[in-house]
Amino acid sequence: MAAAWLSHLAGDRVEVRSAGSAPADQVNPAVVEAMREVGIDISAQIPKVLTVDAVRESDVCVTMGCGDACPVFPGKRYLDWQLTDPAGRGVEAVRPIRDRIRTLVEGLIAEIAPPPGTSA
């Protein structure tokens, strides 16, 4: 959801990579539905395994509880967002998680990629 929000809200101002330390085989259907409700279609997304190269090539790494499974490199900015895992939850439970992620992503965009004509 964070990658989808970031791509949707920041557009081409940010290059987005999404991966997990232990990704599921498919995106949670409740997450797909919750994002569809706000006009974002992630139904074609496929969960990917987090690679060392993906972290190495990033400026900011947002983690959601991956702990020691996430590679760490000096000079990178790491943010660990403490969120409820939507796995196994229905769309009703996913909505507040979706909305919290949007708020966090909006704050991140304001810091790293504000719209043209504004200052960070």
Side-chain angles (χ1 to χ4, degrees), residues 26-50:
Q26 67 178 18
V27 177
N28 178 337
V31 168
V32 172
E33 178 58 29
M35 293 304 286
R36 183 178 292 127
E37 290 176 353
V38 293
I40 301 173
D41 182 6
I42 60 170
S43 61
Q45 297 300 312
I46 299 169
K48 297 168 219 50
V49 174
L50 180 67

Side-chain angles (χ1 to χ4, degrees), residues 6 14 60 62 77 79 81 102-114:
L6 188 53
V14 176
V60 178
V62 176
R77 181 175 175 199
L79 302 171
W81 291 349
R102 179 182 180 141
T103 299
L104 291 166
V105 166
E106 288 172 335
L108 180 60
I109 291 168
E111 291 179 39
I112 66 170

Side-chain angles (χ1 to χ4, degrees), residues 1-19:
M1 285 188 283
W5 276 123
L6 188 53
S7 294
H8 180 76
L9 297 171
D12 61 3
R13 297 190 319 270
V14 176
E15 180 181 341
V16 179
R17 294 182 183 92
S18 177

Side-chain angles (χ1 to χ4, degrees), residues 54-118:
V55 176
R56 185 180 293 122
E57 295 169 10
S58 299
D59 297 319
V60 178
C61 301
V62 176
T63 61
M64 297 178 193
C66 72
D68 293 339
C70 295
V72 176
F73 292 96
K76 305 291 179 191
R77 181 175 175 199
Y78 292 87
L79 302 171
D80 188 33
W81 291 349
Q82 300 297 312
L83 298 159
T84 302
D85 187 346
R89 299 176 187 274
V91 71
E92 322 275 311
V94 171
R95 286 182 187 120
I97 301 167
R98 172 201 66 200
D99 297 343
R100 176 69 181 133
I101 292 171
R102 179 182 180 141
T103 299
L104 291 166
V105 166
E106 288 172 335
L108 180 60
I109 291 168
E111 291 179 39
I112 66 170
T118 62

